[in-house]
Amino acid sequence: MVYYFKTRCGEYTIYMGKDKYENESLIKYGLPEDCWFHVDDLSSAHVYLRLKPGMTLDDIPPDCLLDCCSLVKANSIVGCKQSFVYVVYTRWQNLKKTNDMVDGAVGYHRPQNVRRTKVEKNNTIVRQIEKTKQELYPDLAKEQEQRNREIIAQKKAFRREEEKAKRLEEVRLAREREERSYDRIMKDENMIRNSGMSC
């Protein structure tokens, strides 16, 4: 089971697993658009934000960032009791999982791509987000496979467009060279000999 929420603006989806075993599936079957949140140095839920294609961490709206951080704090056994905690977040693709790690534990491929922010207790925000909660049973592997197919198709279409633009540019340049060239007028049939001309 996966819990889904809407951000307060309603524009983005937040989701998290029910327990550490479901977190394993979320770690394994995330999408390139997903951003992962966790309370730093404390046990907490793994909260994910589904960004729009092409968005970066810098593009996350401040209110949306606060929603995710508040939710992950509220779902930390120790962190929820503290007045503030630090939350780390990074792209799903930056998560690193090795066989020796316990369920729910992760590392990072590039630690420099992990952000850290302070979040204070905010029950009002958490209550607003909790009102949108849905319990669903998605086929995460199928969703990931479908998204990967879409990305491959988009890349192929982009390459085709690039190749088409390149061919058109080559044709345009060839036409320009031909128009500037004397070859089309400097032909034998267009030539007149001086010997046949009278003064």
Side-chain angles (χ1 to χ4, degrees), residues 134-177:
Q134 285 186 297
E135 298 177 7
L136 301 174
Y137 295 85
D139 186 337
L140 297 171
K142 189 174 181 181
E143 282 183 10
Q144 187 186 65
E145 184 183 332
Q146 175 63 31
R147 182 63 186 128
N148 287 340
R149 277 200 300 266
E150 288 171 4
I151 290 168
I152 290 168
Q154 288 167 357
K155 285 180 179 175
K156 283 182 179 175
F158 180 73
R159 276 198 300 271
R160 281 195 299 270
E161 286 299 314
E162 273 192 330
E163 288 168 6
K164 182 181 175 183
K166 186 180 176 183
R167 285 195 302 272
L168 289 172
E169 181 64 8
E170 286 171 354
V171 168
R172 186 187 70 77
L173 291 173
R175 192 177 295 126
E176 279 185 7
R177 279 194 302 270

Side-chain angles (χ1 to χ4, degrees), residues 32-169:
E33 292 79 24
D34 291 342
C35 182
W36 170 89
F37 292 79
H38 196 276
V39 174
D40 196 18
D41 295 328
L42 292 174
S43 174
S44 79
H46 292 228
V47 170
Y48 293 82
L49 172 66
R50 177 80 31 97
L51 298 174
K52 296 173 183 177
M55 286 181 70
T56 68
L57 294 180
D58 294 326
D59 298 326
I60 301 173
D63 285 350
C64 192
L65 186 64
L66 181 58
D67 288 355
C68 295
C69 292
S70 298
L71 188 62
V72 79
K73 180 188 182 309
N75 285 277
S76 169
I77 295 169
V78 176
C80 70
K81 298 169 187 166
Q82 299 180 3
S83 59
F84 71 89
V85 295
Y86 286 94
V87 171
V88 290
Y89 62 102
T90 190
R91 299 306 291 258
W92 165 78
Q93 291 172 315
N94 193 32
L95 298 181
K96 180 181 178 182
K97 185 75 181 180
T98 57
N99 293 332
D100 60 331
M101 290 179 174
V102 297
D103 289 335
V106 294
Y108 312 112
H109 293 290
R110 293 184 180 87
Q112 67 272 22
N113 291 348
V114 179
R115 307 275 178 92
R116 186 172 183 262
T117 187
K118 181 181 177 181
V119 62
E120 297 178 354
K121 181 180 273 190
N122 197 321
N123 292 333
T124 305
I125 290 176
V126 174
R127 279 194 296 271
Q128 286 178 302
I129 298 168
E130 287 280 352
K131 286 178 184 176
T132 69
K133 183 177 179 179
Q134 285 186 297
E135 298 177 7
L136 301 174
Y137 295 85
D139 186 337
L140 297 171
K142 189 174 181 181
E143 282 183 10
Q144 187 186 65
E145 184 183 332
Q146 175 63 31
R147 182 63 186 128
N148 287 340
R149 277 200 300 266
E150 288 171 4
I151 290 168
I152 290 168
Q154 288 167 357
K155 285 180 179 175
K156 283 182 179 175
F158 180 73
R159 276 198 300 271
R160 281 195 299 270
E161 286 299 314
E162 273 192 330
E163 288 168 6
K164 182 181 175 183
K166 186 180 176 183
R167 285 195 302 272
L168 289 172
E169 181 64 8

Side-chain angles (χ1 to χ4, degrees), residues 22-34:
E22 286 185 349
N23 284 336
E24 286 300 298
S25 294
L26 297 179
I27 292 165
K28 184 176 182 180
Y29 297 114
L31 301 187
E33 292 79 24
D34 291 342

Side-chain angles (χ1 to χ4, degrees), residues 174-181 184:
R175 192 177 295 126
E176 279 185 7
R177 279 194 302 270
E178 185 181 332
E179 287 171 358
R180 287 196 302 263
S181 172
R184 59 193 170 90

